[in-house]
């Protein structure tokens, strides 16, 4: 049986603070679908997602409270400083 | 490299892991627009941003390191450009952005747009630059004295 | 060709009786700024205006004829550039303008400025373009069907 | 004896309407110094200088009512349409 999973990615300062860039989170069969906010807690990144951290789901900005489909890629993005 | 945006707008987007010359990028863009057979636009605006020689804290900068989110960065710039093009009636958009290690004085960003009138051209180019700075996933780390510090937020407008 | 403006600002101004390539002008300007030994400016903005293929009345344009006031036009552009540079803290200004007979699609004006921040750079460049359009002695005559008509006033912003 | 004079220049539509581009206006000895507005009348360009016509004296924008020095160059400029 293939276990469904979600890919979690961290960038820049968040990546360095956590010490990892990418993790696969397995979705136990029958469990409620996680949200970005619940994964943030589950992965020990903090109790609540800080307001300045933005969330992308499948490479599009998204709400931290949306339910994630199996196979989704969720990314936590520190404040942008481009250009 | 050229994506059609809504309303027949052409976007050219290039992320450069190495130093690039904005005027060379502009020449290639102008040639490709001319090759499309369209009449040259009456108005064209460019903005070039270069790396400063000092950090936000005012000490000498050795290099800027630019991290991005491969895939999302390109897709997000395409969305921002399409949005801006539609709002201002732009005809063509070109964006070049450095990634990786960038030295003081080197170009970090080029935004170029064309339209039929100077007002929308200038406003559209400015708005796209601001959108890139705040809505496209890039992160800067300033290296100084061998120590790197992530930049939180943008330089003053 | 390079006049020092108040506050150590360099102005390069060129009136072209023949077709000119804005990117060639920009390359020469950037080379001369680099040769001055100054650190490259963090922000640089360009605007290129080209002749439309139709007259203000909407009929096909054969050519635009541009008359100027030799001596006063150059002096007035220098004054406008110095004024704008001082107001916005510009570091360098480059203006190229066609005179004589200009064909549709050809560049008629190039305004390029540098400064330390993107806001003043963009605002300064825009303001100088508007100043040129309203305060520098140039007069356009539209030629269409072999008939010339003087243009009174500027195209819509 | 050298007669002092003022150079008057016309541009674009004004030049074409008048049929000339440049004239020397002699200053009679002892007469009051002319102004751009008085020259406009004197040269038969019209009764009053239209509001949209701008005046330059010695290649700098100037008032139509300023007294002109001998040797001055005065220009009448139709509405500008550059850039």
């Amino acid at each position: 049986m293939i276990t469904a999973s979600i890919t979690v990615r961290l960038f820049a300062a968040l990546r360095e603070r956590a010490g990892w860039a990418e993790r696969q989170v397995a979705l136990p069969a029958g469990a409620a679908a996680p949200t970005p906010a619940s994964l943030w807690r589950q992965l020990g990144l903090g109790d609540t997602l800080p307001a300045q951290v933005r969330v992308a789901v499948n490479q599009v900005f998204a709400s931290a409270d949306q339910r994630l489909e199996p196979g989704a890629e969720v990314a936590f993005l520190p404040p942008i400083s481009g250009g | 490299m050229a994506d059609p945006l809504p309303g027949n707008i052409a976007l050219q987007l290039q992320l450069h892991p190495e130093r690039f010359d904005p005027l060379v990028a502009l020449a290639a863009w102008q040639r490709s627009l001319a090759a499309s057979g369209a009449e040259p636009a009456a108005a064209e605006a460019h903005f070039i941003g270069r790396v400063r020689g000092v950090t936000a804290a005012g000490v000498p900068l050795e290099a800027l390191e630019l991290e991005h989110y491969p895939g999302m960065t390109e897709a997000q710039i395409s969305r921002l450009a399409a949005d801006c093009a539609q709002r201002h009636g732009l005809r063509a958009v070109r964006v070049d952005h450095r990634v990786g290690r960038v030295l003081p004085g080197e170009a970090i960003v080029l935004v170029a747009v064309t339209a039929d009138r100077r007002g929308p051209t200038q406003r559209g180019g400015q708005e796209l630059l601001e959108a890139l700075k705040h809505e496209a996933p890039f992160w800067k780390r300033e290296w100084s004295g061998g120590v790197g510090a992530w930049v939180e937020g943008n330089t003053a407008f």
Side-chain angles (χ1 to χ4, degrees), chain A, chain B:
Chain A
M1 189 182 108
I2 295 163
T3 307
S5 71
I6 285 171
T7 302
V8 178
R9 300 182 66 173
L10 300 179
F11 288 89
L14 288 179
R15 169 175 46 74
E16 301 219 320
R17 199 157 63 217
W20 54 268
E22 184 172 330
R23 286 213 175 151
Q24 303 297 322
V25 178
L27 296 181
T35 66
S38 73
L39 287 171
W40 179 265
R41 279 189 300 278
Q42 184 183 332
L43 290 166
L45 293 166
D47 284 342
T48 54
L49 189 66
Q52 73 271 22
V53 172
R54 295 174 75 173
V55 170
V57 173
N58 296 329
Q59 307 198 350
V60 176
F61 286 124
S63 159
D65 298 318
Q66 75 174 70
R67 296 283 159 192
L68 297 165
E69 303 286 330
E73 173 176 301
V74 56
F76 295 107
L77 312 178
I80 281 170
S81 57
Chain B
M1 196 175 73
D3 284 322
L5 301 184
N8 260 344
I9 301 298
L11 166 68
Q12 283 189 7
L13 165 62
Q14 208 162 351
L15 301 185
H16 300 266
E18 306 287 343
R19 185 187 180 111
F20 77 102
D21 181 338
L23 296 187
V24 170
L26 287 170
W29 181 56
Q30 290 185 351
R31 272 195 307 275
S32 72
L33 293 177
S36 77
E39 182 181 277
E44 181 173 321
H46 313 150
F47 179 86
I48 299 167
R50 293 191 188 83
V51 176
R52 290 179 176 76
V54 291
T55 68
V59 300
L61 179 84
E62 285 160 16
L64 210 55
E65 181 189 336
L66 263 165
E67 182 169 331
H68 73 299
Y69 184 169
M72 178 171 175
T73 300
E74 296 89 332
Q76 179 66 4
I77 291 174
S78 293
R79 285 187 287 266
L80 296 170
D83 204 43
C84 197
Q86 200 189 11
R87 235 182 350 265
H88 295 281
L90 304 180
R91 285 174 49 176
V93 177
R94 167 96 188 193
V95 173
D96 293 71
H97 205 293
R98 275 296 302 277
V99 294
R101 184 179 168 88
V102 194
L103 299 180
E106 290 184 351
I108 184 169
V109 66
L110 165 69
V111 174
V113 305
T114 66
D116 291 331
R117 299 214 325 277
R118 66 192 187 280
T121 306
Q122 293 167 327
R123 285 192 299 268
Q126 281 177 19
E127 198 175 299
L128 182 53
L129 178 65
E130 294 309 303
L132 286 178
K133 286 187 167 272
H134 297 101
E135 301 292 325
F138 288 107
W139 299 276
K140 284 184 185 135
R141 177 150 55 172
E142 294 180 333
W143 285 92
S144 192
V147 176
W150 292 101
V151 177
E152 307 259 317
N154 285 109
T155 50
F157 178 70

